[in-house]
Amino acid sequence: MEDTATILHSIVKYKGTQPTDLEDILAIEEPLEIKIKHPEEGPGETHTLAVTMRTPGEDEALALGFLFTEGIITSPQQVDYVEAPFWTPNSITVHLQKGATIKMPDQKRNFYTTSSCGVCGKASIEAIKTVSSFVINRHTAPVGMDVIYGLMDSLHHQQSVFSTTGGLHASALFTTDGTLAYLCEDVGRHNALDKAIGKALQGELLPLKDNILLLSGRASFELLQKANMAGIPIVVALGAPSSLAVQTAQSFGITLIGFLKTHSFNIYTFPERIK
């Protein structure tokens, strides 16, 4: 994680009734305006798609992951380049290839999103049921239970900024043998996942049919929807899943695991994938 992710702040810490002046490390939260530009439009014509509150760093992956998981782009070949000028650090523009056909979202959507909610402002639940380009194979080879138990240790060893601030969510992509592929952190759980999927998109690794997604918190509907867009067959959360997350996993053929601990976890859908 880049050093732009944290900042020092002076605090007064109380232990009982005894005050101590200290420096605390805070996770940075700043807005990012995600824009898109087609080469066939005029020089100054861009479209703002979203303003999301995020932790600075990996903004290009975040923008590409957001466009992909929202179904606006379907492959990296549709993108010419991403412009993130240093003089506008909170704005990023995705320039499309000439002739690229994309799916612009419904105009009814309010594109402001917060760091805690990936679906806020959408006109209805129907507006976020994006059709994935990939179909998850429900008969994939099972994953060993030892791999699932090993995920949490790997996350704790790698999630550096969380350990210093306690203020970030993490999304980690592992191969089915437990090898860490990508780890991304952000104040927004949906941003962290968009960053990870964006990196996989940049590497032309989609669909992630041989990967496991580990979430540092709870499993919500929007995270399962994004996992489905990337073709991820197994989602593991350290926290609880929501009822809609379970329904979504069931619909998409995703094995959903929650409450992962050192010696226990719950399987909510498709338990046959875990041996």
Side-chain angles (χ1 to χ4, degrees):
M1 197 73 185
E2 299 176 15
D3 57 9
T4 54
T6 61
I7 190 172
L8 288 174
H9 184 75
S10 299
I11 64 168
V12 178
K13 181 179 179 67
Y14 270 87
K15 188 172 183 180
T17 59
Q18 183 63 40
T20 305
D21 292 329
L22 294 174
E23 292 286 322
D24 193 17
I25 302 174
L26 304 179
I28 294 176
E29 182 178 25
E30 291 182 352
L32 178 67
E33 181 185 26
I34 300 174
K35 298 187 290 185
I36 196 166
K37 177 167 176 48
H38 201 286
E40 296 172 6
E41 296 178 324
E45 293 186 41
T46 60
H47 301 277
T48 296
L49 296 181
V51 177
T52 185
M53 301 303 296
R54 98 304 189 192
T55 301
E58 302 174 320
D59 287 342
E60 181 175 336
L62 171 57
L64 292 175
F66 173 83
L67 294 181
F68 179 81
T69 59
E70 291 294 323
I72 298 169
I73 64 172
T74 56
S75 77
Q77 283 71 37
Q78 293 174 298
V79 177
D80 185 10
Y81 66 98
V82 180
E83 181 183 19
F86 69 88
W87 57 88
T88 55
N90 289 328
S91 180
I92 191 166
T93 303
V94 178
H95 292 257
L96 300 175
Q97 288 280 8
K98 187 176 181 179
T101 300
I102 63 170
K103 182 182 177 182
M104 290 297 287
D106 194 322
Q107 291 181 349
K108 293 180 181 179
R109 175 170 170 183
N110 173 1
F111 290 109
Y112 175 76
T113 61
T114 71
S115 58
S116 60
C117 179
V119 298
C120 296
K122 299 211 176 178
S124 69
I125 195 71
E126 295 302 319
I128 51 180
K129 290 183 177 177
T130 313
V131 177
S132 175
S133 300
F134 311 121
V135 176
I136 294 174
N137 183 357
R138 302 192 182 197
H139 303 288
T140 52
V143 172
M145 190 176 295
D146 57 327
V147 171
I148 302 300
Y149 280 128
L151 299 179
M152 190 165 63
D153 284 341
S154 295
L155 180 66
H156 288 165
H157 287 147
Q158 297 292 332
Q159 198 183 357
S160 58
V161 179
F162 179 85
S163 64
T164 56
T165 68
L168 293 183
H169 297 281
S171 287
L173 288 171
F174 293 85
T175 58
T176 50
D177 65 358
T179 301
L180 179 65
Y182 298 113
L183 170 65
C184 295
E185 296 177 294
D186 200 277
V187 288
R189 56 174 60 88
H190 66 289
N191 286 341
L193 181 51
D194 277 342
K195 287 178 178 180
I197 292 176
K199 285 187 172 184
L201 181 70
Q202 289 173 310
E204 300 189 21
L205 299 176
L206 298 178
L208 297 170
K209 57 185 178 63
D210 298 315
N211 289 84
I212 302 168
L213 169 61
L214 179 63
L215 305 170
S216 63
R218 63 184 181 86
S220 58
F221 164 77
E222 71 268 20
L223 297 181
L224 267 295
Q225 186 260 346
K226 289 177 184 292
N228 173 62
M229 290 294 292
I232 301 171
I234 301 175
V235 176
V236 182
L238 301 190
S242 69
S243 62
L244 190 54
V246 174
Q247 293 173 34
T248 305
Q250 188 70 48
S251 298
F252 293 148
I254 297 172
T255 295
L256 177 57
I257 295 174
F259 292 109
L260 176 63
K261 302 185 186 305
T262 305
H263 299 294
S264 66
F265 56 81
N266 299 342
I267 306 180
Y268 293 85
T269 56
F270 302 101
E272 61 272 17
R273 277 207 186 95
I274 309 303
K275 66 180 178 181

